[in-house]
Short mmCIF file of all heavy atoms in Angstrom, two decimals:
data_model
loop_
_atom_site.label_atom_id
_atom_site.label_comp_id
_atom_site.label_asym_id
_atom_site.label_seq_id
_atom_site.Cartn_x
_atom_site.Cartn_y
_atom_site.Cartn_z
N GLU A 72 41.85 62.67 -80.05
CA GLU A 72 40.93 63.17 -79.04
C GLU A 72 39.98 64.23 -79.60
O GLU A 72 40.36 65.27 -80.17
CB GLU A 72 41.75 63.78 -77.84
CG GLU A 72 42.63 62.77 -77.16
CD GLU A 72 43.60 63.47 -76.22
OE1 GLU A 72 43.20 64.46 -75.68
OE2 GLU A 72 44.72 62.98 -76.21
N THR A 73 38.62 63.93 -79.41
CA THR A 73 37.68 64.91 -79.95
C THR A 73 36.49 65.06 -78.93
O THR A 73 35.88 64.09 -78.60
CB THR A 73 37.11 64.35 -81.24
OG1 THR A 73 36.77 63.00 -81.19
CG2 THR A 73 38.09 64.58 -82.38
N PRO A 74 36.23 66.31 -78.51
CA PRO A 74 35.04 66.47 -77.59
C PRO A 74 33.75 66.18 -78.28
O PRO A 74 33.63 66.34 -79.51
CB PRO A 74 35.18 67.97 -77.22
CG PRO A 74 36.36 68.52 -77.93
CD PRO A 74 36.90 67.56 -78.87
N ALA A 75 32.75 65.84 -77.52
CA ALA A 75 31.42 65.49 -78.06
C ALA A 75 30.85 66.75 -78.88
O ALA A 75 30.91 67.85 -78.40
CB ALA A 75 30.45 65.14 -76.93
N GLY A 76 30.34 66.40 -80.09
CA GLY A 76 29.65 67.41 -80.92
C GLY A 76 30.55 68.41 -81.62
O GLY A 76 30.06 69.25 -82.35
N ALA A 77 31.92 68.30 -81.45
CA ALA A 77 32.79 69.32 -81.99
C ALA A 77 33.49 68.82 -83.25
O ALA A 77 34.07 69.66 -84.00
CB ALA A 77 33.87 69.65 -80.97
N ALA A 78 33.50 67.58 -83.56
CA ALA A 78 34.29 67.03 -84.62
C ALA A 78 33.55 66.06 -85.55
O ALA A 78 32.38 65.72 -85.22
CB ALA A 78 35.55 66.34 -84.00
N ILE A 79 34.19 65.62 -86.49
CA ILE A 79 33.71 64.62 -87.37
C ILE A 79 34.65 63.40 -87.22
O ILE A 79 35.85 63.57 -87.29
CB ILE A 79 33.69 64.99 -88.82
CG1 ILE A 79 32.62 66.02 -89.06
CG2 ILE A 79 33.46 63.87 -89.76
CD1 ILE A 79 32.78 66.74 -90.35
N THR A 80 34.03 62.26 -86.96
CA THR A 80 34.87 60.99 -86.85
C THR A 80 34.13 59.93 -87.66
O THR A 80 32.90 59.58 -87.37
CB THR A 80 35.05 60.59 -85.44
OG1 THR A 80 33.81 60.69 -84.72
CG2 THR A 80 36.05 61.49 -84.72
N PHE A 81 34.78 59.37 -88.63
CA PHE A 81 34.13 58.32 -89.40
C PHE A 81 35.23 57.33 -90.04
O PHE A 81 36.35 57.69 -90.13
CB PHE A 81 33.26 58.85 -90.56
CG PHE A 81 34.01 59.51 -91.61
CD1 PHE A 81 34.52 58.75 -92.73
CD2 PHE A 81 34.20 60.86 -91.73
CE1 PHE A 81 35.27 59.37 -93.81
CE2 PHE A 81 34.95 61.51 -92.75
CZ PHE A 81 35.41 60.70 -93.79
N SER A 82 34.69 56.19 -90.37
CA SER A 82 35.56 55.22 -91.04
C SER A 82 34.75 54.63 -92.23
O SER A 82 33.63 54.31 -92.10
CB SER A 82 36.04 54.11 -90.09
OG SER A 82 36.73 54.62 -89.04
N LEU A 83 35.50 54.49 -93.37
CA LEU A 83 34.86 53.94 -94.60
C LEU A 83 35.58 52.57 -94.83
O LEU A 83 36.75 52.51 -94.87
CB LEU A 83 35.09 54.94 -95.70
CG LEU A 83 34.56 54.65 -97.09
CD1 LEU A 83 33.01 54.54 -97.02
CD2 LEU A 83 34.97 55.77 -98.08
N VAL A 84 34.67 51.66 -95.10
CA VAL A 84 35.27 50.30 -95.49
C VAL A 84 35.39 50.27 -97.00
O VAL A 84 34.46 50.55 -97.75
CB VAL A 84 34.27 49.08 -95.07
CG1 VAL A 84 34.80 47.81 -95.66
CG2 VAL A 84 34.06 49.04 -93.57
N LEU A 85 36.63 50.02 -97.47
CA LEU A 85 36.87 49.89 -98.94
C LEU A 85 37.48 48.49 -99.19
O LEU A 85 38.19 47.96 -98.31
CB LEU A 85 37.79 51.03 -99.40
CG LEU A 85 37.20 52.47 -99.27
CD1 LEU A 85 38.31 53.47 -99.62
CD2 LEU A 85 35.99 52.58 -100.24
N ARG A 86 37.20 48.03 -100.32
CA ARG A 86 37.82 46.74 -100.76
C ARG A 86 38.55 46.91 -102.08
O ARG A 86 37.98 46.59 -103.17
CB ARG A 86 36.68 45.65 -100.81
CG ARG A 86 36.09 45.36 -99.41
CD ARG A 86 35.13 44.20 -99.50
NE ARG A 86 34.59 43.86 -98.22
CZ ARG A 86 35.18 43.01 -97.28
NH1 ARG A 86 36.33 42.38 -97.67
NH2 ARG A 86 34.68 42.75 -96.20
N PRO A 87 39.73 47.49 -101.96
CA PRO A 87 40.45 47.89 -103.26
C PRO A 87 40.74 46.67 -104.10
O PRO A 87 41.04 45.62 -103.61
CB PRO A 87 41.74 48.46 -102.71
CG PRO A 87 41.46 48.92 -101.35
CD PRO A 87 40.44 47.97 -100.79
N THR A 88 40.67 46.94 -105.46
CA THR A 88 40.99 45.92 -106.40
C THR A 88 42.37 46.24 -107.13
O THR A 88 42.80 45.52 -108.01
CB THR A 88 39.90 45.69 -107.44
OG1 THR A 88 39.62 46.99 -108.00
CG2 THR A 88 38.64 45.11 -106.78
N VAL A 89 42.89 47.39 -106.75
CA VAL A 89 44.20 47.77 -107.38
C VAL A 89 45.30 46.77 -106.89
O VAL A 89 45.11 46.12 -105.86
CB VAL A 89 44.67 49.20 -106.99
CG1 VAL A 89 43.65 50.24 -107.59
CG2 VAL A 89 44.71 49.34 -105.47
N PRO A 90 46.40 46.70 -107.63
CA PRO A 90 47.42 45.74 -107.25
C PRO A 90 48.02 46.12 -105.86
O PRO A 90 47.98 47.31 -105.54
CB PRO A 90 48.54 45.89 -108.33
CG PRO A 90 47.92 46.75 -109.47
CD PRO A 90 46.71 47.32 -108.95
#
Side-chain angles (χ1 to χ4, degrees):
E72 296 167 40
T73 46
I79 288 166
T80 46
F81 70 84
S82 302
L83 181 61
V84 175
L85 295 173
R86 293 186 177 273
T88 54
V89 292

